[in-house]
Amino acid sequence: MSFKFTIIIPIYNEKDNLKRLEEELLAFIQTSTITTKVLLINDGSTDESQISIESICNRNKNFSFLLFDTNYGLSTALKAGFDYTDTEFVGYIDADLQTSPKDFNSLLEHISTYDLVTGVRKNRNDGFIKKISSKIANSIRRAFTNDGMDDTGCPLKVIKTEYAKRIPMFRGLHRFLPAMILLQGGTVKQIPIQHFPRLAGTSKFGITNRLLGPLIDCFAYLWMKKKRIHYKVSKQQL
């Protein structure tokens, strides 16, 4: 089968979510009009996630995995996912299922027109502290990047793979994917999506890495933006 869409799923200590994750991904794949495969990226989990991952991949031919030797973080997992993707489009969703694979359909409707389509979490099912810290962090990023995104950290995105592979990755970059597409001259669109409470496992982000981390990363983004190499060829004879 020729696939057009790869879904990347970074996983770190999510063993209690993986069975339900498999079921929801299969439900999306069976109803989607685009041929889809799944890449599970185990970011050095210390629980029994890898046992479940290998079982899932063994019983589903369009599922595969990468296992890191230690925990590198979300941005590194996304970088690896982009590196190993060979389809026209690449998507990203968290393993905690606070967003639904079904909403990929809403994003995919626009990917032929735009180079990145991202979700915007409406009616967020998070606690007050988590919601307010994310709101502040999003405001900080918008001020630095001017990307116009209301929810740049939303863990549901679809990107044209040629753009994803050109992103110069660094730690914390998962917070700047729309801005990095805009730097390439690409186009972005945001679509309202569903948001659900976490039913199992624990969040990997707290106030420190939701507020202090994004602020530091904004300065790294500005440095990268100033120093990046970018060119367009107007004519060639090779």
Side-chain angles (χ1 to χ4, degrees), residues 149-198:
M149 296 291 102
D150 296 317
D151 188 12
T152 187
C154 177
L156 193 80
K157 292 179 171 62
V158 176
I159 314 172
K160 288 179 179 172
T161 303
E162 62 178 304
Y163 281 83
K165 287 182 178 293
R166 290 198 297 261
I167 295 174
M169 299 294 285
F170 56 86
R171 291 181 183 175
L173 185 75
H174 61 276
R175 304 180 177 106
F176 296 88
L177 293 178
M180 301 304 294
I181 299 301
L182 291 172
L183 280 181
Q184 296 182 43
T187 54
V188 301
K189 185 176 181 64
Q190 47 188 359
I191 301 293
I193 62 166
Q194 306 171 87
H195 191 252
F196 305 92
R198 177 185 267 273

Side-chain angles (χ1 to χ4, degrees), residues 88-100:
E88 183 178 359
F89 308 116
V90 58
Y92 151 55
I93 188 171
D94 276 350
D96 60 17
L97 289 173
Q98 287 197 260
T99 53
S100 170

Side-chain angles (χ1 to χ4, degrees), residues 24-37:
E24 294 206 17
L25 286 167
L26 287 174
F28 164 73
I29 290 170
Q30 290 165 4
T31 59
S32 177
T33 57
I34 188 170
T35 51
T36 303
K37 60 182 177 178

Side-chain angles (χ1 to χ4, degrees), residues 117-132:
V117 186
T118 182
V120 179
R121 293 166 286 188
K122 297 298 183 181
N123 302 315
R124 285 188 63 173
N125 281 278
D126 286 321
F128 174 77
I129 296 298
K130 189 173 181 179
K131 286 192 286 189
I132 195 66

